[in-house]
Amino acid sequence: YPAPGRCTIMSDLDTVVIKGGATLSGQVATGGAKNAALPLLFATLLADGRYRFRNVPDLRDIDSTALLLEHLGIAVERDGETLTVHAAECEHPEAPYDIVRKMRASILCLGPLLARYGRARVSLPGGCAIGSRPINLHIEALEQMGAEIDIENGYVVARAGHLHGARLVFENATVGGTENVMLAATLARGTTVIENAAKEPEIIDLADCLVKMGARIDGAGSSVITIEGVDQLRSCDHHVIPDRIEAGTLLIAGAITGGDVRVNHCIPGHIDALTQRMVECGFRIDTGSDWVRVLPCDGWRSHDISTAPYPGFPTDLQAQYMALMTLADGTSVITERIFENRFMHVQELVRMGANITPKTQVAIVRGQPGVLNGAQVMATDLRASASLVLAGLAARGETTVSRIYHLDRGYERLEAKLERLGAHIERRPSEPQAA
């Protein structure tokens, strides 16, 4: 795998500069879903052979996953939007800190390594600082399946002669926990039942791929998933679903500028929670089989949201929606129920003139049309970076967003897509640094 393709020329010190006021219009396409592609790549740890994944976004998190797979003895090649993975047996099932610290999803190698090799040593994961996001639910579930797990010197050290099926009830619906158990259960002895399972589209996409590999899975997309373990799996080809969070972000970009933007190559039903709220705010939304369009709106009303597991309002669109509400007519209450530390973008929006009062899990947004002004702001996490870009599109004057390496973790060339819609936006690279 070429040392992280695009990211070798994208420095952590790059900035995005936006001259606000342009009305966006036109058509734009979403890429593949990062949150679907990552667990799919970790599924290659379950069986040798050649895999071909299409519609894979070119992102930092994908690069980090490829590097981790290479460390585990799996070759990864990129050709445009296609990743070809040549999986082979892993001699040392260990995920080191230097790679794992870069992203939360790396914990998803724990289940497949443990199921196939009976042992795994995985560094405690990193990622965006949006909350504690403990992995205790992952660990407790795998222990119920027969694993012995300890935390030693910052690593999850797991052992199991053979994993066995179990009836697992998650206290809280967890996407990562559901995925990790699904991956592990495919090779476990007997039947595993996951109750209060996550229902996200990415769960369904993973299940579809695993079934192609020979797994026996029923109920993906519902609150109860049943996996009957098999002796062996095989490699396969798979097309990654579109990124619903990118689709929602691009739709809000059109809305916040009063524009007319059609987002193609998406699944409209995946962002129903967003589009329904936008309609209630006064926007007109049209949809087709694989596209969503927002039409021009001179002004919009405020509307409360509360984040919730799918099919509720996604936490990954909360920051972007908040940017939209800063310019609404009236006061909105935004409640964050998924992560306890996901309002770090509030102070940056306030620097741009927004009137927001944050509390522990609630932010009160007193919207006012035309209130935003350009400023120098700093991205604090992946989705916060997107919200600042959106605010900059609608602000008076120039906005400079720093620390945009967060943006590169989840959006492929977002600034280029927005520029094609008419935004005055550019990435300004830092000085090249020696390797």
Side-chain angles (χ1 to χ4, degrees):
Y1 189 78
R6 63 187 281 270
C7 297
T8 56
I9 61 172
M10 300 299 174
S11 167
D12 288 355
L13 301 180
D14 287 0
T15 59
V16 163
V17 179
I18 308 128
K19 293 181 180 178
T23 300
L24 303 192
S25 64
Q27 300 187 34
V28 63
T30 63
K34 179 198 78 158
N35 290 338
L38 296 179
L40 292 171
L41 289 172
F42 286 118
T44 64
L45 294 168
L46 292 167
D48 294 349
R50 190 216 67 181
Y51 299 79
R52 184 168 290 156
F53 297 106
R54 295 180 175 85
N55 198 35
V56 180
D58 192 0
L59 304 170
R60 282 178 178 256
D61 277 9
I62 299 295
D63 288 336
S64 295
T65 301
L67 291 175
L68 177 53
L69 291 177
E70 282 202 327
H71 175 82
L72 294 168
I74 294 176
V76 183
E77 302 170 358
R78 178 180 282 279
D79 182 9
E81 295 182 350
T82 299
L83 282 191
T84 301
V85 179
H86 301 278
E89 189 167 340
C90 173
E91 295 183 4
H92 304 289
E94 176 175 333
Y97 168 77
D98 284 344
I99 300 176
V100 170
R101 68 181 175 84
K102 299 177 183 178
M103 62 169 187
R104 168 77 179 178
S106 51
I107 194 64
L108 294 179
C109 70
L110 178 61
L113 288 176
L114 189 58
R116 186 173 179 193
Y117 301 106
R119 58 192 176 94
R121 186 170 184 266
V122 181
S123 175
L124 291 169
C128 286
I130 57 175
S132 59
R133 299 196 287 181
I135 61 169
N136 61 299
L137 297 179
H138 303 233
I139 292 174
E140 291 169 4
L142 292 171
E143 285 178 334
Q144 291 181 61
M145 297 174 69
E148 296 179 1
I149 301 178
D150 297 300
I151 307 297
E152 300 177 0
N153 302 316
Y155 279 77
V156 179
V157 180
R159 305 169 186 84
H162 289 286
L163 292 180
H164 57 74
R167 191 171 195 87
L168 309 171
V169 181
F170 282 127
E171 179 181 354
N172 301 304
T174 161
V175 175
T178 300
E179 292 169 340
N180 230 340
V181 170
M182 286 173 61
L183 290 164
T186 58
L187 293 178
R189 293 178 175 176
T191 300
T192 299
V193 178
I194 308 172
E195 297 188 15
N196 196 25
K199 303 175 184 177
E200 274 70 5
E202 294 79 13
I203 298 290
I204 300 174
D205 201 37
L206 176 60
D208 289 345
C209 181
L210 290 172
V211 168
K212 291 179 186 177
M213 294 171 62
R216 299 173 181 172
I217 302 175
D218 289 316
S222 74
S223 60
V224 179
I225 301 176
T226 302
I227 308 105
E228 183 181 344
V230 298
D231 294 332
Q232 191 173 11
L233 296 170
R234 58 182 177 273
S235 60
C236 73
D237 293 353
H238 188 75
H239 191 279
V240 180
I241 61 172
D243 193 317
R244 59 194 173 98
I245 304 304
E246 183 187 18
T249 301
L250 292 168
L251 201 68
I252 294 174
I256 202 170
T257 63
D260 182 346
V261 171
R262 173 170 151 164
V263 182
N264 297 325
H265 297 166
C266 66
I267 301 176
H270 287 178
I271 56 171
D272 274 348
L274 170 65
T275 54
Q276 288 171 7
R277 299 305 182 280
M278 291 178 69
V279 168
E280 290 165 346
C281 290
F283 292 99
R284 180 183 165 192
I285 303 291
D286 288 346
T287 61
S289 60
D290 64 350
W291 57 268
V292 181
R293 178 185 179 189
V294 58
L295 284 92
C297 181
D298 292 333
W300 53 94
R301 302 179 296 275
S302 61
H303 195 281
D304 300 347
I305 62 160
S306 180
T307 63
Y310 189 85
F313 195 95
T315 181
D316 280 352
L317 284 174
Q318 175 256 108
Q320 299 92 310
Y321 183 84
M322 185 181 292
L324 184 65
M325 289 299 97
T326 64
L327 299 175
D329 181 12
T331 298
S332 58
V333 177
I334 296 178
T335 305
E336 175 56 58
R337 298 189 182 279
I338 307 298
F339 298 120
E340 73 276 12
N341 195 25
R342 205 161 201 179
F343 283 150
M344 290 188 290
H345 50 280
V346 167
Q347 293 306 318
E348 301 304 300
L349 290 173
V350 168
R351 285 175 53 80
M352 298 179 69
N355 186 343
I356 308 173
T357 303
K359 299 183 183 296
T360 303
Q361 287 186 290
V362 173
I364 301 171
V365 184
R366 297 173 179 87
Q368 181 181 340
V371 73
L372 296 179
N373 294 292
Q376 291 187 334
V377 292
M378 181 176 65
T380 53
D381 61 72
L382 167 55
R383 305 307 173 183
S385 62
S387 77
L388 298 177
V389 170
L390 296 178
L393 293 174
R396 290 185 295 268
E398 185 174 278
T399 298
T400 300
V401 184
S402 61
R403 294 180 67 184
I404 61 165
Y405 57 87
H406 287 297
L407 195 71
D408 294 333
R409 287 188 51 238
Y411 294 94
E412 182 177 351
R413 295 284 192 178
L414 179 63
E415 73 280 3
K417 291 186 177 184
L418 294 174
E419 185 177 28
R420 287 195 293 271
L421 292 172
H424 302 306
I425 181 172
E426 65 173 331
R427 178 188 290 259
R428 292 184 181 172
S430 63
E431 292 298 322
Q433 297 181 348

